[in-house]
Amino acid sequence: MAPMTRSFSPEGVPGADVAAYYRRRAAAQVGLILSEGTVIDRPAAKNDPKVPFFHGEAALDGWRRVIDEVHAAGGRMGPQIWHVGTVANPQTTWVPPAPAEGPSGLLAPDTPRGVAMTDEAITDTIAAFASAAAEAKRLGFDTLELHGAHGYLIDQFFWEGTNKRSDRFGGATLQERSRFAAEVVKSVRAAVGPDFPILLRVSQWKQQDFKVRLAPTPAAMTDWLLPLVEAGVDVLHCSQRRFWEPEFPEIDGENGLNFAGWAKKLTGAATISVGSVGLSGDLFDTFGGKSSQPASLAKLVERMERDEFDLIAVGRALLGDPDWVSKVRAGETASLREFSAAALGELV
Ligand SMILES: Cc1cc2nc3c(=O)[nH]c(=O)nc-3n(C[C@H](O)[C@H](O)[C@H](O)COP(=O)(O)O)c2cc1C
């Protein structure tokens, strides 16, 4: 199950309804659940009051209930550890108790928002990622995922459009701008030890600009991702809107490897792919209010059978229907449902 923000945790504390939501997926044969983004202990780590914290006794008690229920139902799960950086949330008037923070106080190129992080802020943020990771392990989660995608904090360091720093966390190359993420990964690895799997989610696209590609070539992708694998990432979760789209068609054609396929080939790490599995429309159709219909899995099966990537994440299909995996396994395709934006308003 792909990580999906649901904003059903008042005061940042996930309750019994959130635990039941994840338990239902575990009971219906979802192999691995990644939680909604849940934020580290920084004052402006979130931009929505109902996004869960991953720190503090009340929120962590809530998460303990989540993982205990998921385990009791036979599932496995990791929290997605998040800091939103300078991204605003137009859906709420709530403001965090401190200004938004990012590498250079930019939301996008030429779009100032929030403050540029000081050395001290960066050090504290890296430590906060590590302590969230230690809590994930202590509570009994099976893994954790660092959210390094979609234009949020870690991705704002990767992107030259939002990282204008002249210190060791900035630079002209992607490898230099990956240093912040690498330091986060190293401190997380030190916090959880050698045997706890660390996932890192990355994307070429940014919510600020869907057309951005951090790595326009395989060489650039290697410079970006290999240091992160060397720093301690076990699994790269390569976010795409449509899993069947080739990453570098100019090299291996229209049916060539997707992002997760290239990331696996270039780094040797295990990878997860994602994007419109089982649905006719993509994520942005949903946010634009369009419904998506159940769609064939044939192209997915073909890619999985050629071992292009190791795991596939399913987002909206599972958000709308807790039994999606069981139905697919049993071949009950006639009972698969359409997905509409209305599903986002409730926790079923
Ligand atoms: C309501 C909603 C919330 C999401 N929240 C997150 C999130 O917190 N973290 C994240 O990495 N991706 C998030 N995503 C992206 C999904 O993880 C997934 O990559 C995307 O929906 C594409 O998969 P799908 O086509 O199977 O839905 C969200 C998507 C949706 C629909």
Side-chain angles (χ1 to χ4, degrees), residues 2-5 36-37 80 147 150 201 239-241 274-277 283 287 314-316 319 344:
M4 286 176 288
T5 290
E36 60 205 288
Q80 190 193 45
H147 194 344
H150 306 166
R201 201 168 216 219
S239 171
Q240 270 186 277
R241 285 156 59 189
V274 65
S276 303
V277 172
L283 174 64
F287 290 137
V314 180
R316 290 162 300 144
L319 188 160
L344 304 178

Side-chain angles (χ1 to χ4, degrees), residues 75-335:
R76 303 258 174 141
M77 182 170 185
Q80 190 193 45
I81 309 295
W82 191 24
H83 182 314
V84 300
T86 59
V87 173
N89 182 348
Q91 254 127 48
T92 174
T93 53
W94 181 82
V95 283
E101 59 182 0
S104 302
L106 290 170
L107 171 60
D110 306 316
T111 312
R113 186 164 193 277
V115 297
M117 291 167 80
T118 60
D119 280 355
E120 192 188 355
I122 289 181
T123 304
D124 288 355
T125 301
I126 292 171
F129 273 107
S131 64
E135 294 293 5
K137 185 176 178 190
R138 185 179 65 84
L139 294 176
F141 282 94
D142 303 286
T143 183
L144 66 85
E145 176 167 283
L146 298 168
H147 194 344
H150 306 166
Y152 294 109
L153 183 71
I154 292 176
D155 203 15
Q156 291 181 356
F157 277 88
F158 291 142
W159 187 21
E160 63 187 343
T162 43
N163 183 348
K164 303 291 179 196
R165 299 182 75 93
S166 52
D167 64 1
R168 52 199 287 272
F169 294 107
T173 66
L174 201 40
Q175 198 166 359
E176 290 167 297
R177 297 192 305 274
S178 292
R179 185 191 293 266
F180 174 75
E183 295 213 356
V184 169
V185 171
K186 281 185 208 153
S187 69
V188 164
R189 175 55 75 205
V192 298
D195 297 329
F196 192 81
I198 299 174
L199 282 56
L200 173 69
R201 201 168 216 219
V202 286
S203 63
Q204 296 265 29
W205 64 272
K206 319 287 152 231
Q207 64 192 288
Q208 295 91 327
D209 184 348
F210 304 143
K211 295 209 175 62
V212 168
R213 293 184 76 203
L214 287 179
T217 63
M221 188 175 282
T222 304
D223 282 351
W224 173 28
L225 299 179
L226 191 56
L228 302 173
V229 171
E230 287 169 353
V233 169
D234 298 295
V235 184
L236 291 164
H237 188 171
C238 301
S239 171
Q240 270 186 277
R241 285 156 59 189
R242 304 177 199 92
F243 72 84
W244 60 87
E245 288 184 347
E247 189 61 32
F248 300 117
E250 66 282 11
I251 297 175
D252 58 0
E254 289 306 322
N255 195 31
L257 298 178
N258 72 9
F259 180 18
W262 275 100
K264 182 177 170 74
K265 176 178 160 133
L266 296 171
T267 67
T271 61
I272 305 175
S273 189
V274 65
S276 303
V277 172
L279 291 175
S280 62
D282 80 7
L283 174 64
F284 295 117
D285 289 331
T286 293
F287 290 137
K290 259 205 256 168
S291 295
S292 296
Q293 306 306 314
S296 162
L297 297 176
K299 279 192 282 194
L300 175 65
V301 171
E302 200 183 291
R303 283 177 186 263
M304 296 205 77
E305 283 180 348
R306 71 185 194 198
D307 285 334
E308 184 171 339
F309 40 80
D310 300 276
L311 295 166
I312 186 73
V314 180
R316 290 162 300 144
L318 263 174
L319 188 160
D321 185 353
D323 297 320
W324 187 87
V325 171
S326 308
K327 288 178 182 174
V328 168
R329 274 204 164 163
E332 292 168 15
T333 44
S335 62

